[in-house]
């Protein structure tokens, strides 16, 4: 790279546009959409689509709701010619959909284009020629007058050939190629001459498409260019003003949105931004940006994963996992603070409320996504994300202090493994840490409760497996938990106390189970949780106490008896 970049590159000049209005415009309706996936997108593929993939893409575009679809460049290749014929002859084009075909401003190419269109109901013929100074000077060797004459002559030819096929409704589109690099005054001159030659009026409109063939400037300058044209074009009432942004500077979406704010009625692009070089503008992105502002985009992405699978199959290109709205990871938070905020917001939100969620600009369910992948756990994650996954997948609602405790266990595993953990991974860690599986398998708790109603006391006899010893316990207290703790304290020198207690049901009906979370104090200095699950809430609570003591034993935190423990 050059240290003095200005010796090789020059800044794109701003537009002298007084009192520009577009920055204050709010988009309140959908534009006319034109998908060029089958033309501009297809010509940019390493391996262009075969007829089967083209047809699948066309049918997907129709299903999404596109009413204008550019289907090819039939004069440029036999494959495109044959595909246009296939669509017409096999009646694949719905009555409310217009196909569009591209042709260069050359007489034999225009004639060939019209051959491909015989029998069609409604077609947009898209004529283009280069107008930019670098093209005039270096490629074409034509002056401004010759460029205007080229555009006008071939517009008239399109009009004449269209008149020869009266059974087809023909619309006309003209693109001054490389508008983004052309003097505005000259762009206006060419376009005005073309609309006059077409005979454009309010009843016979034509589409004037302003392509950012190469994205030369910041998107605000492109918007200024569009607003300048919107203000100055002759016969504006007879024009559908269209834009065709590319993404060379990585600002194609902004340029497209700004252009719509600046007066464009229509926008051309591709699904997920496929196209030449860095791609055409991403129509999905713009449509869903509108949707998140409360505007109906008039395109249906309610199963966005199906759309992505179709596009990936047809283009033989994968969609990036961070691609807006559709990527595998775009609704996923790994950060602990993000996860905690999302978890709290989901808990607080009521159905039917305006969507106002941290870190989620759109409800994934609106696009056919579940909430399963909203929170995922890696080494950057925190207690909120872990708790969310366990609740969403397994129905356990961890108390906050238990979330803190268990997140430290998970973090230790993450530090060792260094990879993402799924909900199933977290559940295995949770089961192992709190002894849930072994409690079920070993049936480590048996209890008999005898109540003395007169004295307000519960007398309890139970057996419990603590560490490697099965204890025969007897205790008394104000309830089963209190009596069980009393029995343990009589046999083990642990000074056991229950500090806090939470419980809830998992499931419903005959399959419902209770889960209990007990925060325990051992030997007046150690605090930890135990967890128990059982069909009976009392059993679940007592299992939670055994869970906590067994955790303490595994960690070497359980005080040892001075005399042998009686085992049964």
């Amino acid at each position: 790279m050059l240290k003095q970049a200005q010796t090789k590159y020059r800044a794109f000049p701003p537009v002298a546009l007084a009192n520009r209005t577009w920055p204050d415009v709010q988009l309140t309706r959908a534009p006319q959409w034109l998908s060029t996936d089958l033309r501009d997108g297809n010509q940019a593929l390493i391996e262009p689509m075969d007829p089967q993939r083209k047809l699948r893409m066309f049918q997907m575009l129709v299903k999404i709701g596109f009413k204008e679809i550019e289907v090819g460049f039939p004069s440029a290749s036999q494959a495109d010619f044959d595909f246009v014929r296939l669509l017409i002859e096999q009646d694949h084009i719905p009555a409310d959909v217009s196909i569009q075909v591209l042709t260069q401003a050359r007489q034999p190419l225009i004639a060939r284009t019209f051959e491909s269109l015989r029998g069609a109901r409604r077609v947009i013929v898209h004529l283009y020629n280069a107008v930019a100074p670098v093209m005039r000077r270096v490629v074409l060797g034509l002056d401004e007058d010759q460029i205007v004459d080229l555009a006008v002559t071939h517009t008239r030819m399109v009009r004449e050939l269209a008149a020869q096929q009266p059974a087809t409704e023909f619309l006309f589109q003209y693109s001054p190629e490389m508008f983004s690099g052309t003097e505005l005054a000259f762009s206006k001159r060419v376009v005005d001459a073309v609309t006059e030659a077409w005979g454009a009026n309010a009843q016979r409109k034509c589409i004037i498409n302003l392509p950012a063939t190469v994205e030369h400037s910041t998107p605000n300058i492109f918007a200024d260019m569009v607003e300048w044209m919107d203000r100055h074009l002759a016969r504006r009432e007879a024009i559908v003003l269209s834009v065709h942004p590319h993404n060379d500077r990585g600002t194609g979406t902004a340029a497209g949105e700004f252009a719509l704010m600046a007066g464009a009625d229509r926008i051309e692009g591709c699904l997920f931004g496929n196209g030449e070089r860095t791609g055409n503008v991403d129509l999905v992105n713009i449509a869903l940006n509108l949707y998140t502002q409360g505007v109906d985009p008039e395109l249906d992405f309610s199963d966005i994963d199906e759309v992505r699978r179709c596009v990936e199959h047809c283009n033989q290109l994968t969609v990036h996992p961070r691609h807006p709205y559709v990527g595998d990871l775009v609704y996923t938070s790994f950060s602990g603070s993000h996860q905690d905020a999302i978890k709290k917001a989901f808990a607080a939100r009521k159905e039917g409320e305006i969507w106002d969620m941290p870190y989620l600009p759109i409800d994934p369910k609106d696009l056919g996504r579940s909430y399963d992948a909203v929170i995922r756990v890696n080494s950057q994650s925190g207690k909120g994300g872990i708790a969310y996954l366990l609740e969403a997948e397994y129905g356990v609602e961890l108390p906050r202090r238990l979330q803190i405790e268990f997140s430290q266990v998970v973090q230790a595993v993450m530090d060792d493994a260094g990879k993402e953990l799924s909900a199933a991974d977290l559940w295995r860690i949770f089961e192992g840490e709190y002894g849930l599986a072994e409690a079920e398998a070993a049936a480590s708790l048996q209890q008999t409760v005898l109540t003395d109603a007169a004295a307000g006391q519960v007398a309890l006899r139970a057996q419990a497996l603590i560490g490697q010893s099965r204890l025969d316990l007897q205790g008394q207290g104000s309830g089963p938990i209190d009596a069980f703790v009393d029995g343990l304290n009589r046999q083990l020198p642990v000074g056991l106390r229950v500090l806090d207690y939470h419980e809830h049901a998992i499931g419903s009906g005959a399959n419902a189970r209770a889960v209990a979370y007990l925060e325990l104090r051992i030997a007046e200095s150690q605090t930890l949780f135990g967890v128990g699950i059982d069909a009976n809430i009392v059993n679940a609570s007592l299992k939670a106490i055994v869970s906590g003591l067994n955790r303490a034993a595994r960690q070497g935190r359980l005080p040892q008896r001075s005399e042998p423990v009686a085992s049964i």
Side-chain angles (χ1 to χ4, degrees), residues 252-299:
T253 295
E257 291 179 326
F258 285 4
L260 294 174
M261 294 161 61
D265 309 301
R266 179 179 184 268
I267 189 164
E268 299 187 348
C270 291
L271 299 177
F272 310 127
N274 182 45
E276 297 280 9
R277 304 179 306 281
T278 57
N280 292 279
V281 70
D282 179 353
L283 296 186
V284 182
N285 202 349
I286 291 181
L288 293 178
N289 284 354
L290 287 171
Y291 181 73
T292 62
Q293 302 302 301
V295 177
D296 178 7
E298 299 175 13
L299 297 175

Side-chain angles (χ1 to χ4, degrees), residues 232-354:
H232 291 91
L233 285 176
R235 290 169 287 279
R236 178 64 181 90
E237 75 286 351
I239 292 170
V240 176
L241 192 60
S242 178
V243 289
H244 181 110
H246 275 254
N247 196 44
D248 298 273
R249 293 170 56 90
T251 56
T253 295
E257 291 179 326
F258 285 4
L260 294 174
M261 294 161 61
D265 309 301
R266 179 179 184 268
I267 189 164
E268 299 187 348
C270 291
L271 299 177
F272 310 127
N274 182 45
E276 297 280 9
R277 304 179 306 281
T278 57
N280 292 279
V281 70
D282 179 353
L283 296 186
V284 182
N285 202 349
I286 291 181
L288 293 178
N289 284 354
L290 287 171
Y291 181 73
T292 62
Q293 302 302 301
V295 177
D296 178 7
E298 299 175 13
L299 297 175
D300 183 4
F301 295 107
S302 56
D303 190 348
I304 201 166
D305 288 335
E306 181 192 7
V307 178
R308 183 190 65 193
R309 286 190 293 270
C310 174
V311 170
E312 289 180 331
H313 169 77
C314 294
N315 290 343
Q316 300 292 289
L317 295 172
T318 57
V319 174
H320 196 280
R322 297 290 183 192
H323 197 102
Y325 297 112
V326 69
D328 283 335
L329 298 177
V330 296
Y331 305 112
T332 299
S333 287
F334 289 104
S335 162
S337 61
H338 291 194
Q339 294 173 344
D340 188 56
I342 291 169
K343 179 177 181 292
K344 289 175 179 174
F346 268 126
R349 184 176 186 273
K350 295 180 176 61
E351 190 65 33
E353 291 181 340
I354 289 294

Side-chain angles (χ1 to χ4, degrees), residues 99-114:
I99 60 169
Q100 178 170 301
V101 291
L102 181 72
T103 179
Q104 202 171 10
R106 291 173 56 191
Q107 183 172 349
L109 300 184
I110 295 172
R112 177 70 169 164
T113 299
F114 273 86

